């Protein structure tokens, strides 16, 4: 029981009071019909929980909060963010590089109609915002990348990081 003082080899009895056992570890052991370990993991986190279960709890809580936010903000049904994510191959719909592992992909929507279009990384979402969803501006970006003005003028200057080093 939590807070019960008993001597364990190598651990003072007071340690169980200051660091009670993790309630999730206890439930997991009971569910799997496992015996209690001789040295239970300390549970210094609220709950009380061990570091692993505290991390899992915070991750689940954060995920639930994100799901609720996209539902209320964008009108997505439960699980639709995940469906979009999987349909896009788990990457940003524009650059195809960002996975949302560090920072979740943004829900992109039309600022004219409000309709959700897909999931974008922060940089691509900012790019669309800067272009103000102007298709002609996007075409100019493509044309610029294909035939930049410097090439049209015959200028072949090279950035210093790409110049060959002279011996």
């Amino acid at each position: 029981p939590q807070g019960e003082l008993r001597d364990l080899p190598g651990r003072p009895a007071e340690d169980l009071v200051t660091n009670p056992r993790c309630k999730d570890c206890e439930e997991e052991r009971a569910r799997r019909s496992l015996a209690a370990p001789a040295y239970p993991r300390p549970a210094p986190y609220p709950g009380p929980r061990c570091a692993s279960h505290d991390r899992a709890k915070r991750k689940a809580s954060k995920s639930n909060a994100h799901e609720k936010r996209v539902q209320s903000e964008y009108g997505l049904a439960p699980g639709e963010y995940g469906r979009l994510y999987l349909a896009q191959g788990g990457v940003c719909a524009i650059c195809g590089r960002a996975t949302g592992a560090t920072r979740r992909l943004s829900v992109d929507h039309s600022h004219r109609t409000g309709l959700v279009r897909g999931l974008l990384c922060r940089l691509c979402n900012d790019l669309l915002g800067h272009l103000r969803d102007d298709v002609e501006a996007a075409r100019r970006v493509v044309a610029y990348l294909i035939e930049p003005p410097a090439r049209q003028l015959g200028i072949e200057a090279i950035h210093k990081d790409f110049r060959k080093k002279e011996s």
Side-chain angles (χ1 to χ4, degrees):
Q2 181 178 331
E4 176 183 301
L5 291 177
R6 64 185 178 121
D7 289 324
L8 294 173
R11 283 182 64 185
E14 296 81 29
D15 191 34
L16 284 177
V17 174
T18 57
N19 287 318
R21 292 184 196 165
C22 171
K23 69 180 194 177
D24 294 332
C25 286
E26 296 283 332
E27 289 172 11
E28 204 171 300
R29 275 193 294 280
R31 197 172 51 247
R32 294 181 180 179
S33 300
L34 299 173
Y39 301 100
R41 294 171 72 182
Y45 298 96
R49 288 192 171 83
C50 64
S52 298
H53 283 113
D54 180 63
R55 194 170 26 257
K57 176 83 172 156
R58 282 187 287 121
K59 185 177 181 180
S61 177
K62 192 174 178 181
S63 183
N64 289 339
H66 178 263
E67 183 75 16
K68 283 182 181 179
R69 183 180 167 278
V70 297
Q71 286 173 20
S72 75
E73 187 84 17
Y74 301 103
L76 291 175
E80 284 187 330
Y81 180 95
R83 285 183 49 218
L84 270 172
Y85 185 78
L86 292 174
Q88 291 180 196
V91 293
C92 170
I94 292 179
C95 70
R97 289 190 306 228
T99 63
T102 305
R103 181 189 181 113
R104 288 187 188 273
L105 297 177
S106 302
V107 177
D108 175 51
H109 66 285
S110 167
H111 286 261
R112 246 179 322 137
T113 65
L115 285 173
V116 169
R117 295 186 286 215
L119 304 178
L120 302 177
C121 69
R122 177 74 183 264
L123 291 172
C124 291
N125 198 31
D126 287 351
L127 171 68
L128 282 188
H130 184 71
L131 296 178
R132 292 185 172 87
D133 297 344
D134 183 355
V135 175
E136 286 307 312
R139 286 189 178 118
R140 287 192 300 273
V141 169
V142 172
Y144 175 87
L145 290 173
I146 293 170
E147 193 62 35
R151 185 184 301 156
Q152 293 172 10
L153 295 173
I155 298 171
E156 293 188 23
I158 299 176
H159 186 279
K160 67 179 180 178
D161 291 349
F162 294 87
R163 295 181 203 146
K164 292 181 182 171
K165 296 192 182 200
E166 298 173 17
S167 303

